Amino acid sequence: MADPHSVDRVRALRDTLRHHNDRYYLADDPEISDAEYDELVRELQGLEQANPDLATDGSPSRRVGGSVGATFAPVTHSAAMMSLDNAMDESELRAWGDRVSRGLDGAAGQFVCELKIDGLAMSLRYEAGRLVQAATRGDGRVGEDVTANVLTIGDVPQRLRGAPAVLEVRGEVYMSLAAFNALNDRQGALGDKQFANPRNAAAGSLRQKDPRVTASRELSIWCYQIGLVEGGPTFGDHAESMAWLGSLGFTINPQTRVVDGLDGVYAFARRWQAHRHELAYEIDGAVAKVNNFEQRQRLGVTSKAPRWAIAYKFPPEERFTLLRDIQVSVGRTGRTTPFAVLEPVFVGGSTVGMATLHNQDQVALKDVRPGDTVVVRKAGDVIPEVVGPVLSKRPDGLAPWVFPARCPCPLDTELVRIPGEADTRCVERDCPFQRDARIIHFASRGGMDIEGLGDKTVFALSDRGLLADAGDIYTLTRDHLITLDGFGELSANKLLASIAESKSRPLPRLLVALGCKNLGPSASVALAATFGNLRSIMAATQPDLATVEGVGPVIAASVTRWFGQPRNAAMIDKFEAAGVEFGNVERSLLPQNLVGLAIVVTGSLDGFSRDSAEAAIVGRGGKSPGSVSKKTTAVVVGVDPGASKLTKATELGVPILDEAGFVYLLENGHLPEVLSTP
Ligand code: IVH
């Protein structure tokens, strides 16, 4: 028995550690250093080791582990982690059913139907009943060691009673919708990046270098397979093996059903397609598996997936909703984009209130009119799309939508469409909407990367007259920010810190952030390398600029014109007065994690302009070619992608990424394990 002093000390240490955990990862405002924190953890671990009767699974000593700062070592899976073949509709599911029946000479019996959890696959290895390793799927053969992080997942048993010598259990780590929404609320309140969907949030949370961050993220797991057993029971079928895992303490999804015959499979798939959003977590399909292990043996596997199982993927969801209005937004170059203002509708796992309509011709083609009931579609986390009107529901006398003749900004100037061009533009240089868009571009990830200074904050500051141009960003104070909606002391300080940090961005990024027409990342790198300083670039003559390799006469003319405008020169003066570095050429602050990768971007993205996306790639050592080839690492697809690039990528089997996947790639230097294919 532990002495009373140890009992009290352990209790006190646990409370203290929980408090510091909250300060660290919930409030993002730690009160003690990492070293002091580690010291407390070690003291607690020492006491728990000396007094095993005091140890509990929920102790913060266990939940965070001591491996802070661990990177992810490769793990070779003892049995390959296979993937599943997909059936994209019911006829493909039936075709699989027919193949299985034929493969078993018409004797197909029982199937296990499971939900296809939208998370990421995990392999848990237990030796003598202790969790010794947790690894991601990786390429199926080699994954990443994320043990320290998985130890923080409450659902994952760390000790098994009556376990075999070796046991490997596979399952899907996921984040419940409640945990996801709470996380995004917290991120939003702190001005931190929000996650696109629970799967990305789960993947991002598992790949944390600091397990304390993972611990704060409320991950869960559903287990769906035994990978390996040594020195343990053998089973005749899957259902039996799952029941055994359940008895050992693993979480087995309660919706799992054993059905007799294929009709049961089809019914299960249809049922969950209709009811998927009644669950507390996201699923992207249903999985059917032959139950009997001897039958599985007879069916065998292909190089990639077992023949005895299939994933039935749910089709993109469509919902009806009211099109309240069509409005236009104005970009930094004056280009206007119509977008649909919708009666908010829950589709594809989130509530959609707005959707882009791309341009005037697209609206005309779809002939959607304010007042129409429209079909809204969203597949995975692709940007929502208005498919078209439901004509049978169109009220009598509903007038077609007419593209506005004037800019929606307070200046109310005339919009211009040049014949032969798809875009209608605002050509007023002083348009406040363009100005806001230029400031948003300046602060965006591909520009000066000022975290927390997104659209909403820029609009709010601009409304108060605090941002006449990007130069004014550097004059913002706590008092300016604190009164904004959604801002508190913490988020104001955070934003001020990121503004201060942005002053030392490398020169090529500053150049891209300025938003000078035609001046993309490659030319910016060339100009920075040649002239070394923003002032020298400004002082250079147009012919001097034009001779720089990778610049040329068009860019040179545009750069000269841009710097020649008094208001731009005045903005540069503001930067200088604020201490923005003009000559940071040597140090790239970006990790060079994309060297050797070629990433093609097509369509428009939310957080990046075309230039800033290219800058983000080139700045990390990657290439951003204009077309897709065999050598392309990935194609990033935004709204309105080039059809030929998409087709080519599909033909060549080049991975396709959405924006969230792109951000992941930029941050991690490799493709996300789970491709959120648009
Ligand atoms: S079984 C050999 N069952 O889907 C069988 N996988 O597309 C291996 N997944 O990598 C997988 N729910 O990450 C299985 N009930 C379930 C699943 C499931 C989600 C994921 C898993 C796998 C991917 C295959």
Side-chain angles (χ1 to χ4, degrees), residues 466-506:
L466 293 168
L467 286 183
D469 62 26
D472 291 343
I473 292 173
Y474 296 101
T475 62
L476 292 172
T477 64
R478 172 199 164 277
D479 290 346
H480 292 140
L481 298 173
I482 202 90
T483 55
L484 301 182
D485 253 9
F487 267 82
E489 200 69 51
L490 202 66
S491 38
N493 285 337
K494 247 189 124 138
L495 177 51
L496 289 174
S498 27
I499 291 174
E501 190 205 328
S502 76
K503 291 182 189 172
S504 49
R505 296 280 180 255

Side-chain angles (χ1 to χ4, degrees), residues 177-201:
L177 285 162
F180 168 72
N181 290 327
L183 170 63
N184 263 357
D185 286 350
R186 288 202 304 265
Q187 299 279 104
L190 294 168
D192 282 341
K193 188 187 80 176
Q194 299 201 329
F195 292 96
N197 56 46
R199 182 196 49 230
N200 287 350

Side-chain angles (χ1 to χ4, degrees), residues 82-84 86 114-117 120-121 137 172 224-225 287 289 306 308 311:
M82 298 198 103
S83 140
L84 293 171
N86 289 328
E114 295 171 357
L115 301 178
K116 185 164 176 345
I117 312 298
L120 66 163
R137 192 170 88 91
E172 195 83 351
Y224 52 65
Q225 202 191 11
V287 180
K289 302 172 177 175
W308 44 261

Side-chain angles (χ1 to χ4, degrees), residues 22-356:
D22 286 353
R23 296 303 311 165
Y24 185 90
Y25 52 69
L26 292 181
D28 219 355
D29 189 17
E31 293 169 348
I32 56 173
S33 70
D34 282 5
E36 289 168 296
Y37 178 91
D38 290 346
E39 190 64 48
L40 294 171
V41 172
R42 271 193 295 275
E43 189 190 342
L44 177 57
Q45 283 169 338
L47 282 168
E48 286 174 341
Q49 263 155 28
N51 304 283
D53 50 327
L54 293 182
T56 66
D57 277 354
S59 170
S61 64
R62 300 273 180 93
R63 293 277 150 207
V64 295
S67 39
V68 172
T71 42
F72 308 121
V75 173
T76 304
H77 298 300
S78 52
M81 288 182 80
M82 298 198 103
S83 140
L84 293 171
D85 281 335
N86 289 328
M88 303 311 287
D89 56 31
E90 196 169 322
S91 72
E92 289 187 16
L93 183 60
R94 285 175 182 273
W96 171 79
D98 294 344
R99 282 198 300 279
V100 168
S101 296
R102 276 199 306 278
L104 299 172
D105 303 321
Q110 285 187 329
F111 294 87
V112 179
C113 301
E114 295 171 357
L115 301 178
K116 185 164 176 345
I117 312 298
D118 204 2
L120 66 163
M122 186 59 54
S123 184
L124 306 170
R125 183 178 172 92
Y126 293 81
E127 288 173 7
R130 275 184 79 96
L131 178 62
V132 292
Q133 190 167 64
T136 63
R137 192 170 88 91
D139 61 4
R141 207 180 53 80
V142 180
E144 283 176 325
D145 185 337
V146 287
T147 313
N149 291 339
V150 168
L151 280 168
T152 72
I153 303 177
D155 272 359
V156 173
Q158 302 192 1
R159 286 255 171 98
L160 305 174
R161 234 180 274 248
V166 178
L167 173 65
E168 275 189 26
V169 175
R170 271 111 196 236
E172 195 83 351
V173 171
Y174 68 97
M175 189 179 281
S176 73
L177 285 162
F180 168 72
N181 290 327
L183 170 63
N184 263 357
D185 286 350
R186 288 202 304 265
Q187 299 279 104
L190 294 168
D192 282 341
K193 188 187 80 176
Q194 299 201 329
F195 292 96
N197 56 46
R199 182 196 49 230
N200 287 350
S205 303
L206 257 188
R207 276 244 170 64
Q208 293 292 327
K209 292 214 174 110
D210 184 344
R212 282 178 291 179
V213 179
T214 313
S216 74
R217 297 287 176 84
E218 281 185 77
L219 295 172
S220 310
I221 190 168
W222 292 123
C223 297
Y224 52 65
Q225 202 191 11
I226 293 180
L228 181 82
V229 198
E230 281 170 23
T234 51
F235 303 99
D237 65 37
H238 183 72
E240 246 179 55
S241 70
M242 290 298 107
W244 179 68
L245 286 186
S247 75
L248 287 177
F250 292 95
T251 45
I252 309 299
N253 190 282
Q255 310 303 343
T256 304
R257 294 287 180 275
V258 180
V259 298
D260 285 312
L262 286 158
D263 284 338
V265 170
Y266 308 142
F268 183 90
R270 273 198 299 267
R271 166 159 192 263
W272 283 109
Q273 186 171 320
H275 294 280
R276 57 191 292 195
H277 293 303
E278 290 164 22
L279 295 163
Y281 42 86
E282 288 204 329
I283 60 172
D284 58 343
V287 180
K289 302 172 177 175
V290 169
N291 191 23
N292 184 283
F293 284 166
E294 189 269 326
Q295 289 189 337
R296 286 190 181 186
Q297 201 78 42
R298 273 162 53 201
L299 289 163
V301 298
T302 66
S303 61
K304 183 181 144 272
R307 291 201 186 86
W308 44 261
I310 190 85
Y312 170 73
K313 298 273 271 196
F314 296 147
E317 280 190 289
E318 295 190 342
R319 288 275 181 283
F320 293 154
T321 194
L322 178 70
L323 177 62
R324 282 195 191 143
D325 197 7
I326 299 177
Q327 297 177 359
V328 297
S329 66
V330 184
R332 78 187 154 90
T333 60
R335 186 168 83 179
T336 57
T337 307
F339 63 94
V341 182
L342 303 162
E343 183 74 39
V345 60
F346 192 77
V347 56
S350 69
T351 302
V352 173
M354 273 193 282
T356 177

